[in-house]
Each structure stands twice: as structure tokens, then as C-alpha cells.
Amino acid sequence: MIRIASLLCLALLLAACASLPGPRSFTLTPSDIERHIEADLGTTFELFKGLDIRRPEVALMPVSDRLQLTWNVRVPDGPTGSPLGVAVALAGKPVLNEARNGVTLTQVTIEDVRVTGVPALFNLGLAQLGERKGASLPDLPLLVLPAEQLTRNQVAYGATAVAVTFTGLRIDLEPR
């Protein structure tokens, strides 16, 4: 009986050593995604000096397996001297890029466009922005996966799947 128990423990120990080291997936929280986008687009934001452009707010839509990104842009001195603001919300389905090292948004649509700080007289021309809701946009590269997540214990991993969960964007991994 002891011999069988010892062999079973040895077999379990060998199986544990042969299995994938570390977790088979990781999750990027909405704030992680926001930081990655801000880092990737930081130089682009610098081109718009004088505008207050913040990193996008990320909302998870796990039921439809989509992400929503909302950008808020403020012009400190609008046409009436008060701040002018524009908020644009885009939503899309996250998929892995061909290299399996990044995430791209596909099926991107404009969910909402809001303009604040504009007098009613000027608002007539901006009503056309609201008509763009639901319009399709081309695929949007979202982020490059963190290198430290794709290399563990000197083993290179590739992403195999991406899913929107209630806690974030889950990326499944396998060794290359």
C-alpha cells in the first residue's frame, strides 16, 4: 500500500514539473488598458498642445464581448471664453493581432458624441456629429501586450485568445 502511494505521489510530482510554469492567462484591468493606450499614444497627444486630452476611459462590456473607449477633449478657451468639451465613445470587439503579441479592436462603431460649452446658436452645425452614432470605423490597434507577461522563466509565450470579462481583458497564453 505504501509503495502504491509513493508511486502515485511521484507520478503527481512529475506531472506538476512537466506542466506549464505560471498561470495560463493574465487579466488587464481597465486602468491597465488605459495606461497602455496612454503610453502608446503619448507622443501623438503632444502634437495637440493647448488641448486637454486625457487617456481614454475604458468600459467593459462582457456580455457582448466588447470594449468601450471614451475620449474627452477640452479646449480651455472655447468660442465664448468658456471651456469647450468633446466626448467621443467608440466600442469594438478585441481580437489578437496576427503576431499574437497585441490586441486590435474590430467591428468598431461610434457609440456616442457629445459637445459641451457651445452656445445654442453654434450647436445647430454640431448636430451632425450626433448623426454619426452607429457609424462603422476601421480596425483600431489597441495595445501591445506587456513583454514581461509573454516571457516567464526564460520561456516565450504567445497569446492564444482574448476575452472581455467582468474584471478586465483576459489573455490566454501557451508556450511558443
Side-chain angles (χ1 to χ4, degrees):
M1 185 64 123
I2 294 176
R3 179 182 275 170
I4 293 173
S6 299
L7 287 174
L8 182 61
C9 288
L10 181 61
L12 289 174
L13 181 63
L14 286 174
C17 291
S19 69
L20 183 67
R24 295 183 186 260
S25 68
F26 66 93
T27 301
L28 294 172
T29 64
S31 60
D32 292 336
I33 297 168
E34 291 169 5
R35 280 192 298 274
H36 282 288
I37 293 171
E38 184 179 41
D40 291 344
L41 296 177
T43 56
T44 305
F45 289 162
E46 290 176 8
L47 295 174
F48 301 104
K49 294 202 185 279
L51 297 179
D52 181 14
I53 301 177
R54 306 237 166 107
R55 66 184 185 197
E57 296 173 14
V58 175
L60 304 170
M61 302 163 54
V63 174
S64 60
D65 198 32
R66 293 171 66 85
L67 286 178
Q68 183 177 20
L69 307 172
T70 303
W71 273 278
N72 291 303
V73 179
R74 254 185 41 160
V75 179
D77 298 319
T80 61
S82 63
L84 171 68
V86 177
V88 178
L90 307 175
K93 179 176 178 49
V95 297
L96 293 173
N97 63 9
E98 290 184 23
R100 297 183 351 176
N101 65 353
V103 177
T104 301
L105 276 186
T106 62
Q107 305 169 11
V108 180
T109 58
I110 298 174
E111 297 290 310
D112 192 19
V113 178
R114 286 172 278 143
V115 179
T116 59
V118 177
L121 176 65
F122 296 118
N123 210 10
L124 295 175
L126 296 174
Q128 294 174 352
L129 290 175
E131 295 171 6
R132 299 281 299 158
K133 291 181 187 178
S136 295
L137 297 174
D139 292 352
L140 177 68
L142 185 63
L143 58 93
V144 175
L145 297 175
E148 64 272 4
Q149 294 288 356
L150 297 178
T151 305
R152 297 181 187 163
N153 298 330
Q154 299 177 349
V155 176
Y157 290 86
T160 57
V162 61
V164 179
T165 66
F166 287 101
T167 57
L169 195 61
R170 188 186 71 233
I171 312 293
D172 296 330
L173 302 172
E174 73 177 21
R176 286 191 177 203

